[in-house]
Amino acid sequence: MRKNKVFIACDTTNIKKVKKIIKETKNNKLIVGYKFGLEFLNSKYGRQYISKLKNKIIFGDYKISDIPNTCVSTIRAIKDLKFNYITIHINSGFDALKKTKESVGKTKLIGVTILTSLDNKAIKEIGFSKNVKELVLHQAKLATKAKLDAIVCSAQEVKIVKKVFKKEIITPGIRLNSKRDDQKRVLTPSEAFKNGADWIVIGRDITRGSIKNNIQKLINHLYK
Ligand code: C5P
């Protein structure tokens, strides 16, 4: 049986909690990677902890969004952490994407499209005139042009993205139940994989409450 790939979002500042997440999500049905976002990466001991992690698939969700020179310097500054994946906002623009990709070495550079917490109303408010689906498609084309290694989009846009982007697709905004929190564009894990996602990202639905029970729920849901 093909193992589904899941990044667990370690959104906390607490090292003990991260250790618990890693320990309790260990299983032989899924390929599990660990995603560290701005909260953990900026915490007092976060960087140091990541520098000591061994034999794990690690994802630095830096969501870089800056001018090309700063993007490249950031990559240089975190090179020692040897992340498998790092994110950059596609909104940083083609030059930033291209230069960052050229400097990233073996790490896979993921382009982040429109955040899964935004819907059509929210992006209109920001000033975009395209709708979410049109924008994500547009950004996916730019990611292809800049030779990025992966894309983050909502699971609702995977089929559209696949038309123009042929590498890995990673989808946050995953929910096992109806509690959406701050996410707007959500789907279930099985729907995401059915649409063609290579990886799903799950945070709170796994890390909130009993981690062991939640991971078992996810496995039951995926392999029923
Ligand atoms: O708790 P939840 O499952 O909503 O967490 C989703 C994770 O994925 C968070 O760490 C969030 O920062 C990240 N993410 C996202 N939407 C994106 C990119 C990243 O939710 N477009």
Side-chain angles (χ1 to χ4, degrees):
M1 192 167 51
R2 189 175 141 259
K3 288 186 183 181
N4 286 129
K5 295 194 258 187
V6 180
F7 278 115
I8 308 291
C10 302
D11 291 331
T12 173
T13 55
N14 185 331
I15 304 277
K16 272 192 198 153
K17 174 89 192 234
V18 173
K19 286 184 180 166
K20 190 170 149 83
I21 292 172
I22 293 180
K23 188 164 168 239
E24 298 190 356
T25 53
K26 227 175 247 159
N27 71 88
N28 54 19
K29 298 278 195 299
L30 305 166
I31 295 174
V32 178
Y34 297 93
K35 184 179 91 63
F36 300 99
L38 294 174
E39 183 179 358
F40 190 73
L41 293 167
N42 287 299
S43 66
K44 198 164 181 190
Y45 301 107
R47 191 191 203 285
Q48 191 186 31
Y49 176 77
I50 293 170
S51 73
K52 294 193 179 120
L53 267 180
K54 295 233 159 51
N55 305 318
K56 300 272 179 291
I57 303 170
I58 53 169
F59 173 160
D61 196 4
Y62 286 88
K63 292 208 177 69
I64 301 169
S65 179
D66 220 311
I67 60 169
N69 184 59
T70 306
C71 294
V72 172
S73 318
T74 305
I75 294 296
R76 244 182 257 134
I78 56 180
K79 204 141 237 179
D80 60 297
L81 296 175
K82 297 191 170 66
F83 280 106
N84 300 94
Y85 294 82
I86 286 174
T87 47
I88 182 166
H89 274 290
I90 294 178
N91 271 340
S92 305
F94 181 69
D95 284 348
L97 298 176
K98 190 166 167 275
K99 297 234 159 59
T100 307
K101 171 58 194 164
E102 284 164 5
S103 68
V104 83
K106 281 187 193 156
T107 300
K108 288 184 178 175
L109 188 63
I110 310 171
V112 178
T113 61
I114 299 296
L115 295 171
T116 46
S117 54
L118 302 175
D119 57 12
N120 280 329
K121 182 169 169 268
I123 59 165
K124 199 169 166 203
E125 208 167 49
I126 297 170
F128 290 114
S129 49
K130 285 188 159 78
N131 66 32
V132 171
K133 286 201 161 67
E134 289 165 345
L135 260 179
V136 171
L137 175 66
H138 195 93
Q139 292 179 325
K141 287 180 189 163
L142 199 61
T144 299
K145 196 172 155 202
K147 300 189 166 57
L148 300 193
D149 302 290
I151 272 191
V152 160
C153 59
S154 105
Q156 299 180 5
E157 294 109 37
V158 173
K159 286 183 183 165
I160 299 175
V161 168
K162 269 185 174 293
K163 287 185 188 160
V164 295
F165 186 82
K166 305 296 173 192
K167 295 192 241 171
E168 283 175 77
I169 301 179
I170 303 170
T171 62
I174 298 296
R175 287 294 179 272
L176 275 160
N177 51 46
S178 56
K179 195 166 195 263
R180 291 196 313 180
D181 304 301
D182 51 356
Q183 298 284 18
K184 291 275 164 45
R185 303 191 330 275
V186 301
L187 280 184
T188 67
S190 57
E191 285 169 333
F193 288 122
K194 204 171 130 231
N195 284 352
D198 295 286
W199 287 88
I200 59 169
V201 174
I202 314 190
R204 286 162 286 188
D205 268 12
I206 296 292
T207 57
R208 194 165 41 192
S210 163
I211 298 171
K212 278 187 187 162
N213 287 351
N214 293 340
I215 204 84
Q216 194 53 52
K217 245 189 251 167
L218 172 63
I219 290 169
N220 294 346
H221 162 86
L222 284 171
Y223 302 108
K224 57 185 175 249

